[in-house]
Amino acid sequence: MLRFRFDDLSKVGLRLLLAVVLGLVFRHAALAEDAAPKALKGVALVIGNGDYQHLAKLPNPPNDARAVEEMLDGLGFETDIVADRDARRLRRALEGFAEDAEGADVAVIYYSGHGIEAGGENYLVPVDADAAALEDAGEKLVPLSELIDELKKTVPVTIVMLDACRTNPFPPDALVKTSPDAPGVPLGSGGLGEARGAVAMTATSATAENFGTVIGFAAEPGHVALDGDPGGNSPYAAAILRHLSAMEGAEFGTVMRMVAEEVYLKTGGRQRPWVNESLRRLLYFGTPAPQPAGADGEILVERRQLLLTIAALPEPGRKQIETLAQSGGVPMDTLYGMLKALGAEAPSDPAELDRMMRSQTERLKSMLAERDALQSTDPEIAKLSAQADGALREGALEVAVRLLGEAKQRVASLADTVDQAEAQLAAKRREFAAVYARSGEANFLRFDFKQAASDYALAYDQIARWDEKLASTYRYNRMKALEQQGTLRGDNEALNSLVSLGDAALRDAEASNDAVSWISAQNVLGNALFTLGDRDNSLDNLKRAADAYRAALSRSDGLDASLTGKIRNNLANTLTVLGTRQGNDAVLVEAVGLYDKAIDQFEIEQDPVLWASAYVNFGKTLIALGELRNSIETLTMAGQAFEAALSVTPRDQQPLVWGGAQINIGNVYRALGLRMTDPNIAAGRHVQSVSAYLGALQELTREKVPLQWASAQQNLANAYLSLARLQRDAGTAQAYLRQAEEAQNAALQEMTRERAPSMWANVRLGLGETMQLMAFRAATPEEARSALLAAADAQSQALEIFTKDNAPSTWANAQVALAYTLQLLSQREHDPAAKLDHLVRAEAIQSAALEAFPKETRQSERAALLHSLGLTLIELGPLEAGTGRYEAAESVFREEQELLSRDHETARWAASQAGIGNAMRAIGIARGDKAMLVEARQRTGEAKAAIQPFDTSYNQILDGRVAEIDAALATLQ
């Protein structure tokens, strides 16, 4: 590689330093790094066209040209500057420069003014150009490619910087002709395009090897650039001036990336410069201009590191920061600095990273809105604080923290002298508190929430005696830092500390009659209690969280509607978890009402993601309520809620949100399928759910969002299980079961017991169900028994997590599943004692679980459990003396039938009718009761007639019972 350096700042010239030449590029032998330097010559032409005669004038090009010329002159170039040139004089200046550049080693052209693109050619626009110039562009405008071609013939390296991508000054539908007789080509839609001259070149002669061309555009091809404030510099010129003159150790391409990202940040993402380069050597400028000293120099160094970090960031990452900056009204510079500060500690889960950055953006917005300039009586503290503020705005968070650390040291050195006078003491305490608070802010933005909380505690201690309101603010900020530490870092100790602080904050706010502070403290306190309750399965913490949110809402009249909506959303989330765990219909209904009100208070145009998230939460609650009520209408409403969320979260813009909504839509389809009486319609719903889950998995990959990926795998397994249950074909059913088992095992790779115990337990329950169904399809009795033992083991492990106290509804369902597995095992036991043991255990489990399914609110689930209990009692009948078990079974089946509709739940009603008939058959035979046997025969026949359209596999069983009844009746004639 060849490296170009300017040896010093004088006009002595350039030195050529040789490094290793890669054989793959030029096939030259390696050259020594310390080869003798050769003096080089650099020339530059700087052009500023702004005073246009017939087109829109540009105020800044002359300023840009003067500043850039001074910079290049300082770097050791032989410079020439021209301004406001018409076509003839501009062409002459360029031709003269090309002639004078012969023998130079580097030629630089900087152009600021109007420029256009047409037919792949970029044109510089002279100040005398008008619309008619487009009819003879080859003469009336200046083609860029001609100049580049001339320079490449005689100069090894050509650098062209075009600050000429401003808004097109000509009519948008105009055609451009290179000559009056040439065909017209459309004018580019905006700005310049990729230059034809910037392609890889070989040496143009045997004596002057050409190392390539660099063309820098102020904006991307086809995009316009900003001119900047009148009287100043354009964003592109300002970035060049800031970074091009100080390239110590940095290769030219690296510096141009810094320039591009500087413009991108300063314009809020509206303008991104672009470089087209074909250099075959790394290009360095030599000894840089003097760097700023002290804090300004440190800020500039960290700023440049940040710019290079941004340059390497993938496009989705940029879009995320741009969206957050735009929606939050905060500078992108600081957000990128926050992202850089995370470094290797950034979450691998994009959804978690997005949550962290959104939270930090809100905090930054609050800081910027609340911060007043520090009026310090100590000049050193004032200077350090101002420098730290500047560092934060530049995204130099490390420098900001260091400067505020020095300010804290200054505070510590002055603290002993503060007691001189009461008024002065109060002022100093405020000053000291502000330093600690600003340090807390900086650490908060760096995601060091623990240190931020410590800083806010010191700020509170400084001001508590002097300013109660300000002290309350610092304590609230400490609570927010502890909330982030506890939520994002999994630090329950921080959350418990927050709870303790919350009680004190509420007392002080109550005493001072500060309603806003009191409501804010209640909301943060509720957030901490909800997170603790969600983690430890504690109903007590969840109830306390709900109480905190209710208290906040009770005093929220007149508050900002968005804040009230967020509190309602938080309360609804809490009630959804509580209602689901308790199986409480009323609690879920209250949550639905709260979501409805919260959504009305969110503006979709202001924050579509918040609005969509509320609808997703709303839909989840409707699913829980629909399943609890066995309501197809409610489940359909849940699907509509998810569709509403999808309407503002396009897949290409919000792929993770879209994927999450697909999972929820799949859940709706599956819940609906479970409630369809027509098996074909039910299967169709389950196929739709499979399609939704598979679509979600395309976006929710294991690499991006491991736990969401595992959740989608779990839901996919459940859908396959539902399809397997509906299949009469054994081969198809087995295929679905294998797919279910594969998806469940995949989910368990991420949902470990240590990482996510509740999720892990749910997957174990699903795996138990898969093993149950596999037992039915097993080829041998031993295979079936092995599958059932595996099912019982999986269900028992799940019940180690789910208890009657922390999740009564889930616990009850798991108990029912385990009891059914024990029933199936008993049927495969040859040892009467073992068989009896399984059945007695199953009967005890089922009887205990009944209290979790009251007939008033959980009618369908209670009916299913009663049927299972009745079957257990029937099987216990012949193992014990007397007819007590059969009588109990008859009573259980009759209670079940009272909960079922013959018209809408025909198959289930028929099964209960068959159960009653079977119990009466056993009792009638044992007692020799003819009337009971007659009724048993009638009920069994009715059951066969009702169930036959749905399942003919019971015909043989029911026919056998009828034959047995007939035989018993015959003996009683």
Side-chain angles (χ1 to χ4, degrees):
M1 294 178 288
L2 294 175
R3 297 190 296 174
F4 292 87
R5 288 186 185 275
F6 291 104
D7 191 51
D8 54 41
L9 297 179
S10 69
K11 291 291 185 75
V12 172
L14 305 169
R15 287 187 177 179
L16 180 64
L17 302 182
L18 299 178
V20 178
V21 179
L22 296 180
L24 289 176
V25 180
F26 285 99
R27 298 187 178 88
H28 288 319
L31 300 178
E33 179 71 37
D34 295 322
K38 168 191 171 184
L40 298 180
K41 176 183 178 182
V43 295
L45 175 64
V46 180
I47 305 166
N49 276 358
D51 189 17
Y52 284 89
Q53 301 167 17
H54 309 291
L55 305 175
K57 294 182 183 297
L58 300 172
N60 289 336
N63 302 331
D64 298 340
R66 284 191 296 271
V68 171
E69 189 275 336
E70 290 177 8
M71 177 200 69
L72 292 172
D73 181 80
L75 282 172
F77 282 87
E78 296 177 4
T79 61
D80 191 13
I81 182 171
V82 296
D84 297 328
R85 290 294 195 260
D86 59 21
R88 181 178 59 81
R89 293 194 300 159
L90 179 59
R91 192 180 296 275
R92 187 166 59 194
L94 292 168
E95 290 172 350
F97 177 73
E99 293 174 1
D100 294 340
E102 184 172 358
D105 299 282
V106 180
V108 174
I109 296 176
Y110 172 85
Y111 174 79
S112 180
H114 280 308
I116 63 169
E117 181 274 334
E121 177 65 81
N122 290 302
Y123 295 93
L124 309 184
V125 180
V127 295
D128 63 341
D130 56 13
L134 301 182
E135 295 292 324
D136 191 7
E139 288 297 322
K140 300 295 180 65
L141 305 179
V142 179
L144 181 63
S145 61
E146 294 180 3
L147 173 64
I148 294 175
D149 289 339
E150 286 299 315
L151 289 172
K152 286 192 298 189
K153 294 176 182 178
T154 58
V155 182
V157 176
T158 300
I159 299 172
V160 181
M161 290 178 283
L162 296 172
D163 198 357
C165 310
R166 294 163 171 87
T167 304
N168 172 29
F170 298 105
D173 57 350
L175 297 178
V176 179
K177 299 181 179 180
T178 56
S179 65
D181 298 328
V185 294
L187 192 63
S189 60
L192 301 179
E194 182 174 349
R196 291 182 301 180
V199 296
M201 302 297 296
T202 57
T204 56
S205 71
T207 58
E209 186 177 18
N210 187 280
F211 298 143
T213 303
V214 178
I215 303 179
F217 296 84
E220 295 170 296
H223 292 72
V224 298
L226 305 175
D227 193 41
D229 296 329
N233 294 119
S234 73
Y236 189 59
I240 288 173
L241 294 170
R242 186 175 193 187
H243 297 294
L244 201 65
S245 64
M247 296 192 298
E248 184 175 16
E251 187 266 331
F252 184 76
T254 299
V255 176
M256 291 306 289
R257 287 192 289 277
M258 293 181 192
V259 169
E261 301 306 335
E262 182 74 22
V263 174
Y264 165 76
L265 290 179
K266 291 300 184 185
T267 61
R270 292 177 294 166
Q271 178 180 337
R272 286 176 67 180
W274 181 72
V275 176
N276 190 339
E277 63 175 304
S278 60
L279 286 177
R280 298 185 297 166
R281 298 290 189 273
L282 293 181
L283 181 62
Y284 293 78
F285 288 124
T287 304
Q291 300 293 295
D296 290 342
E298 293 180 47
I299 292 172
L300 184 59
V301 169
E302 188 171 347
R303 173 74 169 186
R304 287 173 175 162
Q305 294 171 350
L306 176 64
L307 296 176
L308 294 178
T309 300
I310 298 172
L313 194 65
E315 196 62 26
R318 287 179 182 267
K319 291 296 183 185
Q320 181 187 40
I321 296 299
E322 290 170 9
T323 300
L324 290 173
Q326 183 177 8
S327 63
V330 298
M332 291 196 303
D333 313 52
T334 310
L335 293 182
Y336 277 118
M338 290 155 54
L339 189 62
K340 177 177 176 287
L342 272 177
E345 294 184 6
S348 58
D349 183 341
E352 183 181 352
L353 177 60
D354 184 68
R355 286 192 295 271
M356 291 179 69
M357 292 302 296
R358 282 186 178 278
S359 176
Q360 292 292 87
T361 300
E362 287 296 318
R363 183 63 186 148
L364 175 60
K365 182 179 179 180
S366 176
M367 290 176 186
L368 295 176
E370 296 172 359
R371 172 175 292 182
D372 294 322
L374 179 61
Q375 300 297 319
S376 174
T377 58
D378 184 271
E380 181 65 14
I381 291 177
K383 182 188 76 170
L384 290 168
S385 297
Q387 289 174 333
D389 284 351
L392 282 177
R393 291 187 176 89
E394 290 286 313
L397 301 186
E398 296 288 345
V399 177
V401 169
R402 188 193 64 74
L403 290 168
L404 289 168
E406 291 184 15
K408 288 191 290 185
Q409 293 175 4
R410 177 65 175 168
V411 167
S413 69
L414 295 174
D416 293 338
T417 65
V418 170
D419 294 329
Q420 297 175 2
E422 188 71 20
Q424 184 181 5
L425 178 59
K428 284 291 182 183
R429 293 298 182 190
R430 287 189 180 89
E431 182 179 315
F432 299 165
V435 170
Y436 286 121
R438 291 193 174 188
S439 179
E441 291 172 355
N443 280 304
F444 196 106
L445 296 179
R446 292 179 66 244
F447 300 91
D448 191 349
F449 304 117
K450 190 172 184 178
Q451 182 59 49
S454 175
D455 284 338
Y456 285 128
L458 292 171
Y460 176 87
D461 291 341
Q462 287 289 334
I463 202 64
R465 290 175 54 197
W466 313 102
D467 190 328
E468 292 181 359
K469 188 172 181 61
L470 187 56
S472 175
T473 299
Y474 291 150
R475 179 167 52 199
Y476 178 76
N477 290 342
R478 182 186 177 193
M479 291 168 64
K480 292 295 292 181
L482 289 170
E483 180 188 4
Q484 294 296 90
Q485 174 70 12
T487 303
L488 300 180
R489 305 299 191 200
D491 188 344
N492 289 342
E493 182 179 347
L495 293 175
N496 286 317
S497 297
L498 188 162
V499 171
S500 299
L501 280 176
D503 293 337
L506 290 171
R507 287 194 300 271
D508 288 352
E510 190 77 51
S512 62
N513 199 29
D514 186 345
V516 174
S517 295
W518 189 86
I519 290 169
S520 298
Q522 287 284 17
N523 188 46
V524 176
L525 180 61
N527 294 344
L529 291 167
F530 173 77
T531 304
L532 287 169
D534 195 37
R535 287 179 181 168
D536 62 13
N537 288 326
S538 167
L539 295 181
D540 179 61
N541 278 330
L542 291 173
K543 291 176 181 177
R544 289 179 64 193
D547 290 342
Y549 294 134
R550 290 187 199 279
L553 288 173
S554 70
R555 300 188 186 183
S556 64
D557 290 344
L559 284 184
D560 176 68
S562 178
L563 174 60
T564 306
K566 290 177 181 177
I567 297 173
R568 283 199 172 98
N569 183 79
N570 293 342
L571 175 57
N573 291 341
T574 306
L575 294 179
T576 297
V577 177
L578 273 171
T580 302
R581 289 187 184 177
Q582 295 174 315
N584 191 319
D585 180 279
V587 173
L588 292 174
V589 168
E590 184 182 358
V592 168
L594 286 164
Y595 282 129
D596 196 37
K597 290 181 180 179
I599 289 169
D600 286 341
Q601 293 177 301
F602 295 145
E603 294 290 338
I604 184 173
E605 295 81 6
Q606 293 182 4
D607 197 336
V609 174
L610 177 63
W611 185 87
S613 297
Y615 255 109
V616 168
N617 292 336
F618 183 41
K620 290 179 179 178
T621 305
L622 287 172
I623 288 181
L625 185 60
E627 291 181 330
L628 188 62
R629 290 181 169 180
N630 196 32
S631 169
I632 292 177
E633 180 182 1
T634 306
L635 292 170
T636 302
M637 289 174 59
Q640 293 169 351
F642 296 131
E643 294 290 352
L646 280 175
S647 69
V648 296
T649 52
R651 182 174 184 174
D652 58 337
Q653 296 179 19
Q654 297 283 345
L656 298 182
V657 177
W658 180 90
Q662 288 296 315
I663 289 180
N664 290 314
I665 288 174
N667 292 342
V668 171
Y669 282 136
R670 179 170 177 269
L672 287 171
L674 292 173
R675 286 155 180 82
M676 294 292 141
T677 57
D678 186 321
N680 292 323
I681 296 177
R685 291 297 191 204
H686 292 311
V687 169
Q688 286 178 302
S689 71
V690 167
S691 177
Y693 296 140
L694 291 175
L697 284 166
Q698 292 177 7
E699 298 295 345
L700 306 178
T701 63
R702 185 177 182 182
E703 294 72 25
K704 291 180 183 177
V705 280
L707 282 179
Q708 279 188 271
W709 170 84
S711 179
Q713 292 283 4
Q714 178 189 5
N715 289 327
L716 179 62
N718 292 336
Y720 283 136
L721 283 176
S722 298
L723 284 169
R725 282 194 293 269
L726 291 170
Q727 282 297 324
R728 295 183 180 181
D729 179 73
T732 305
Q734 284 281 30
Y736 281 137
L737 290 173
R738 285 193 294 271
Q739 288 175 302
E741 183 184 16
E742 180 181 348
Q744 287 159 341
N745 286 328
L748 287 172
Q749 294 175 25
E750 293 293 342
M751 290 179 174
T752 64
R753 183 169 185 167
E754 296 72 25
R755 183 181 190 183
S758 294
M759 295 177 178
W760 173 84
N762 270 316
V763 179
R764 298 297 295 175
L765 286 177
L767 191 58
E769 186 176 0
T770 302
M771 294 297 104
Q772 280 183 354
L773 293 175
M774 283 186 169
F776 285 118
R777 308 286 182 177
T780 66
E782 190 53 41
E783 286 181 9
R785 187 172 183 276
S786 176
L788 290 171
L789 287 171
D793 180 63
Q795 292 155 348
S796 298
Q797 288 185 14
L799 284 165
E800 295 173 7
I801 303 298
F802 298 128
T803 68
K804 186 177 180 179
D805 294 329
N806 66 30
S809 180
T810 305
W811 167 84
N813 287 322
Q815 290 281 29
V816 170
L818 177 58
Y820 183 49
T821 302
L822 293 171
Q823 281 181 301
L824 297 175
L825 270 172
S826 73
Q827 295 169 7
R828 288 158 178 79
E829 288 289 356
H830 301 294
D831 179 4
K835 184 181 185 73
L836 180 62
D837 179 66
H838 289 318
L839 290 172
V840 168
R841 185 182 171 197
E843 189 268 338
I845 289 172
Q846 291 161 336
S847 297
L850 272 175
E851 66 182 79
F853 299 101
K855 63 181 179 180
E856 294 80 11
T857 58
R858 306 194 67 175
Q859 182 173 305
S860 180
E861 289 118 317
R862 183 175 181 85
L865 179 54
L866 286 167
H867 189 82
S868 182
L869 175 57
L871 294 177
T872 302
L873 292 167
I874 289 288
E875 292 189 43
L876 278 169
L879 300 178
E880 297 179 351
T883 59
R885 293 291 189 178
Y886 292 123
E887 292 168 8
E890 179 188 357
S891 176
V892 166
F893 284 129
R894 287 183 184 276
E895 182 184 350
E896 175 200 6
Q897 195 169 73
E898 290 175 0
L899 302 176
L900 300 173
S901 167
R902 181 170 184 172
D903 294 331
H904 300 295
E905 298 169 291
T906 308
R908 295 178 67 185
W909 179 90
S912 67
Q913 184 78 326
I916 296 171
N918 195 23
M920 295 182 74
R921 173 197 60 81
I923 297 170
I925 291 174
R927 294 178 180 175
D929 189 329
K930 181 178 179 180
M932 184 166 284
L933 288 171
V934 169
E935 185 178 350
R937 191 185 196 288
Q938 176 191 345
R939 288 183 178 273
T940 305
E942 290 176 351
K944 177 182 176 182
I947 204 170
Q948 190 162 356
F950 301 95
D951 193 344
T952 58
S953 63
Y954 287 99
N955 285 354
Q956 186 176 356
I957 295 173
L958 296 177
D959 287 343
R961 290 178 187 171
V962 169
E964 189 176 355
I965 292 170
D966 288 342
L969 285 170
T971 63
L972 297 175
Q973 296 298 332

